[in-house]
Amino acid sequence: MASPTDSSSNLKHEIKSILLLDDDIELADTLKQLLETHNFLVTTVEHGVDGVTEIMRFDFDIIMCDMMMPQMPGDMFYHAVERTKPHLCSRFIFITGYPDKPEVVNFLSRLPEAVVLNKPVSNDELIRTISFVLKKNGAL
């Protein structure tokens, strides 16, 4: 029988899960393939409405969220998660192709701890950022 110490050290080596929200299907597919080569389990959705459904089913280790999406943009999705599962808010990585858009700037300025990547994102930068957020949340 494993001791609690043994099981917690095993947890650190488990495959980590990522919820990827992006309305650009080709980009989401490309990122999913990349992340799966790094042993992440990736679930992709095209907008925040489907993202909320996934969040209600599972607590992901990382939530990669495009800021500009139809039906429910990234800020609205974040607020939905904040209301339903606030413990997941520290797991967000926001991705935007519009870093100077006023609504993006305004939203992110209210989240001083926000982790943000601007498109296009290099593979190395993406993996480093995911590792940073996992470490920050004690998942690595």
Side-chain angles (χ1 to χ4, degrees), residues 14 28 44 60 74 93 115-116 121 135 139:
E14 286 181 358
T44 59
F60 292 87
I93 298 172
V115 177
V116 183
V121 179
K135 286 178 188 170

Side-chain angles (χ1 to χ4, degrees), residues 84-133:
T84 57
K85 291 193 171 181
H87 63 282
L88 298 180
C89 289
S90 64
R91 301 177 187 186
F92 270 76
I93 298 172
F94 295 101
I95 302 173
T96 186
Y98 305 95
D100 298 326
K101 197 163 187 161
E103 55 265 37
V104 172
V105 172
N106 184 35
F107 170 71
L108 293 174
S109 70
R110 290 178 289 172
L111 300 175
E113 302 276 323
V115 177
V116 183
L117 293 172
N118 294 322
K119 293 178 183 178
V121 179
S122 75
N123 296 349
D124 289 342
E125 182 181 21
L126 180 63
I127 299 303
R128 276 194 310 270
T129 303
I130 290 170
S131 294
F132 168 78
V133 173

